[in-house]
């Protein structure tokens, strides 16, 4: 029985990690190419979730909701880049942090104004509801679908960066932006595209997770901060690092919450073990981050 | 006196005058608002030592604010229930005495700052921002999931703690305590900025390599600054908990850390009194815009965005001209 539970929790951790990757990939791309630390990335996640919930609620189609999430987040990302972020490229990190913090306030309150303070709910599509069973083991089909979609998007992103013309430009932009501007690439258009791409990934993750959790204002920031932990662990600017870091954080967090209380019951009474286990589990990924920092200050795949 | 020094004197006088007038016109709510300004300003004065002087953007100073708050909460909680904090190997009782609580708050937050700082200062730039933010979140979730002291619901304290010779339940007397504490923090931070230590720290902000070449250990310098800064913010946290007679995990939240930075920027970065003006402005906005619209933070966001993009000197920069004390 415990082995089956462990398998289920491992899959949950994988699913969580893949969603974190979608967030972290956008953040790390935006930082790597444009040198911008974007706190409002969590707001774009929220925009995606709200767009999906609103459109799916109106039309009854989850797929349309997903398309709406991608479109809304990408559009919002492009608007933000053109109106605000563009003015921040040659500013220091403090200005970037503050301006994007201001954007969080505007996005959160604006969404609250539009949709009210009550959470929205996004239903799992009928086609993906139910569970898959293999012998004694059963797992929700929707979560399995999220894992597959997460892997497909991750693979697509790697191909986009490694094999396409736009990917070449993005990588070139990371290593030397003056040079590619001199070679005739429209750098401001490239920046808008990269920002919109990152935003779309965040919005996509928001919409997928929206069907598991409630869709509410402020849902993006906890995920954003976890994505920061992922980037610190993986190394800033590295998509591969973001992937490894995200899976590591997803598994550590989920399995820690599951296993630590069980381990603690071995030498404590059950209620104290649950309290101590869950308290320690909530700190586990940050301890992981601290360990990585001690041994590799620039992250697993980061360059100095 | 320079224009800025004159302005600073006026700010301190105004912050004292408003609650005194409110006291004589029988308006205790205004006194509470002024007390809140003084305490939040003090927390931001602490942050300003690393941020303004040292150039380290700490997005996790709510940690120290929360540690200070919980120091007060835990000590007073045990005192009001008459349960000792620990009995073996030696007895430690709770306390309702402010000076002891402050001492504990300052020492505990300094120790936490030492540990977080030792890890975070190994990095710089964006890494530093993300790591301090992450450690803040770690304490937030720990406070939520640790049930012994209220967990998610927080910890109420029934009667405000006592200070020898004063009646702390009287709003104006409690304000006086926070005002003097803020004054002390400002004095310390002004002295620090002019000391050898402060000058060296300011130099690490401008060019850390050059400072290292001269033979100064930048890492140690920043770590000491981080500890002092955390201790001041922790002190403010203990006062804040006493103002509300309530401690909650929200004191650890990242929004809190963000607000401290916002105070400094609204007031004017690199200015001694920037945090005071910023905190005052923020509380005024909260009070007046909060009455106009439930979505007042949207206006704060717009104002902040405008200040960052177009008016980088903040309010003091606008009033006192562009001359900055250091730089």
């Amino acid at each position: 029985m415990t082995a089956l539970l462990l398998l289920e929790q491992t899959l949950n951790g994988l699913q969580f990690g893949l969603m974190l990757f979608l967030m972290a990939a956008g953040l790390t791309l935006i930082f790597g190419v444009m040198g911008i630390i974007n706190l409002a990335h969590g707001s774009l996640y929220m925009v995606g979730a709200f767009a999906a919930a609103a459109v799916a609620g109106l039309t009854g189609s989850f797929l349309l909701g997903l398309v709406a999430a991608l479109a809304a987040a990408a559009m919002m990302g492009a608007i933000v880049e053109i109106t605000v972020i563009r003015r921040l490229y040659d500013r220091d990190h403090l200005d970037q942090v503050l301006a994007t913090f201001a954007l969080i306030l505007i996005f959160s309150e604006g969404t609250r104004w539009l949709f009210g303070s009550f959470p929205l709910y996004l239903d799992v599509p009928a086609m993906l509801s139910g569970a898959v069973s293999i012998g004694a083991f059963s797992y929700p089909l929707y979560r399995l679908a999220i894992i597959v979609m997460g892997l497909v998007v991750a693979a697509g992103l790697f191909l986009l960066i490694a094999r396409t013309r736009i990917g070449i430009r993005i990588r070139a932009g990371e290593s030397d932006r003056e040079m590619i501007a001199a070679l005739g690439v429209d750098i401001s258009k490239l920046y808008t595209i990269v920002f919109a791409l990152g935003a779309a990934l965040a919005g996509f993750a928001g919409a997928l997770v929206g069907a598991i959790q409630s869709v509410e204002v402020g849902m993006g920031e906890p995920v954003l901060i976890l994505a920061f932990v992922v980037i610190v662990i993986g190394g800033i600017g590295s998509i591969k690092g973001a992937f490894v870091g995200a899976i590591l954080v997803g598994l550590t967090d989920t399995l820690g919450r599951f296993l630590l209380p069980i381990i603690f019951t071995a030498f404590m009474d059950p209620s104290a073990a649950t309290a101590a286990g869950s308290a320690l589990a909530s700190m586990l990924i940050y301890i992981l981050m601290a360990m990585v920092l001690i041994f590799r200050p620039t992250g697993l795949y980061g360059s100095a | 006196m320079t224009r800025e020094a004159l302005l600073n004197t006026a700010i301190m006088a105004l912050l004292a005058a408003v609650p005194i007038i409110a006291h004589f016109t029988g308006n205790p709510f205004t006194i509470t608002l002024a007390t809140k300004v003084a305490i939040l300003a003090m927390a931001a004065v602490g942050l300003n030592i690393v941020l303004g002087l040292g150039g380290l953007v700490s997005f996790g100073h709510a940690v120290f604010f929360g540690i200070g708050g919980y120091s007060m909460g835990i000590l007073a909680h045990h005192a009001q229930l008459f349960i000792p904090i620990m009995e073996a190997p030696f007895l430690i009782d709770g306390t309702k005495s402010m000076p002891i609580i402050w001492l504990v708050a300052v020492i505990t937050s300094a120790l936490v700052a030492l540990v977080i700082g030792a890890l975070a200062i190994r990095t710089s730039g964006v890494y530093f921002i993300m790591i301090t933010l992450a450690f803040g979140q770690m304490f937030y979730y720990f406070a939520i999931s640790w049930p012994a002291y209220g967990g998610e619901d927080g910890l109420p304290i029934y009667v405000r703690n006592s200070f020898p010779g004063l009646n702390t339940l009287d709003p104006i007397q409690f304000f006086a305590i926070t005002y003097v504490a803020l004054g002390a923090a400002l004095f310390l931070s002004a002295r620090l900025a002019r000391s050898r230590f402060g000058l060296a720290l300011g130099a690490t902000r401008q060019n850390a390599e050059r400072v290292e070449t001269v033979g100064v250990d930048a890492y140690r310098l920043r770590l000491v600054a981080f500890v002092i800064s955390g201790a001041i913010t922790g002190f403010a946290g203990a006062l804040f908990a006493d103002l509300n007679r309530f401690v909650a995990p929200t004191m650890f939240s990242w929004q809190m850390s963000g607000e401290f930075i916002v105070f400094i920027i609204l007031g004017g970065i690199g200015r001694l009194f920037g945090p005071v003006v910023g905190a005052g402005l923020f509380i005024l906005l909260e009070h007046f815009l909060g009455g106009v619209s439930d979505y007042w933070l949207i206006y704060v966001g717009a104002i902040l965005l405008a200040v960052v993009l177009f008016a980088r000197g903040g309010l003091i920069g606008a009033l006192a001209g562009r001359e900055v004390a250091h730089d």
Side-chain angles (χ1 to χ4, degrees), chain B residues 13 17 24 47 49 55 96 127 135 147-148 151 153 156 162-163 177 185 190-191 267 288 290 301 305 308 315:
Chain B
F24 286 111
L47 172 62
I49 292 176
K96 295 283 284 179
Y127 270 107
F135 277 123
D153 300 328
S162 58
F163 188 87
I177 293 176
R191 285 299 296 269
F288 288 108
L305 199 57
V308 174
L315 198 63

Side-chain angles (χ1 to χ4, degrees), chain A residues 222-302:
Chain A
V223 187
L224 170 85
I225 297 171
L226 284 182
F228 280 159
V229 174
V230 165
I231 293 177
V232 169
I233 290 176
I236 294 181
S238 160
I239 300 228
K240 194 164 131 201
F243 188 77
V244 174
I247 301 295
L248 212 56
V249 167
L251 285 177
T252 309
D253 191 57
T254 313
L255 292 180
R257 280 172 208 284
F258 171 61
L259 290 175
L260 279 179
I262 297 179
I263 294 170
F264 278 30
T265 10
F267 46 89
M268 271 187 209
D269 66 278
S271 70
T274 315
S278 62
L280 183 61
S282 68
M283 300 171 77
L284 212 54
I285 48 170
Y286 306 102
I287 297 171
L288 175 73
M289 179 187 79
M291 299 304 277
V292 171
L293 272 180
I294 291 169
F295 295 108
R296 289 193 67 108
T298 51
L300 296 175
Y301 294 92

Side-chain angles (χ1 to χ4, degrees), chain B residues 31-147:
Chain B
I31 306 180
T32 304
L33 277 187
T35 314
K36 202 171 166 188
V37 170
I39 295 172
L40 291 176
M42 183 179 171
V45 167
L47 172 62
N48 205 17
I49 292 176
V50 280
L51 196 142
L53 201 54
L56 296 170
V57 184
S58 164
F59 211 125
H61 254 56
V63 168
F64 313 120
F65 200 60
I67 292 284
Y70 270 89
S71 301
M72 174 283 195
I74 291 170
L75 286 170
H77 175 72
H78 282 276
Q80 73 187 8
L81 294 179
F82 300 103
I83 306 170
I85 295 177
M86 61 182 230
E87 288 174 273
F90 43 86
L91 183 79
I92 298 181
D93 270 316
T95 178
K96 295 283 284 179
S97 160
M98 279 189 188
I100 301 177
I101 288 172
W102 295 344
L103 194 66
V104 172
V106 165
I107 293 174
T108 325
S109 34
L111 284 176
V112 173
L114 185 67
V115 175
I116 294 183
L119 283 167
I121 297 170
R122 290 164 62 93
T123 65
S124 59
V126 197
Y127 270 107
F128 185 81
I129 300 172
M130 291 183 186
I131 287 159
T132 46
L133 190 56
F135 277 123
Q137 206 70 350
M138 172 172 109
F139 277 87
Y140 175 69
Y141 284 120
F142 181 76
I144 281 184
S145 56
W146 186 250

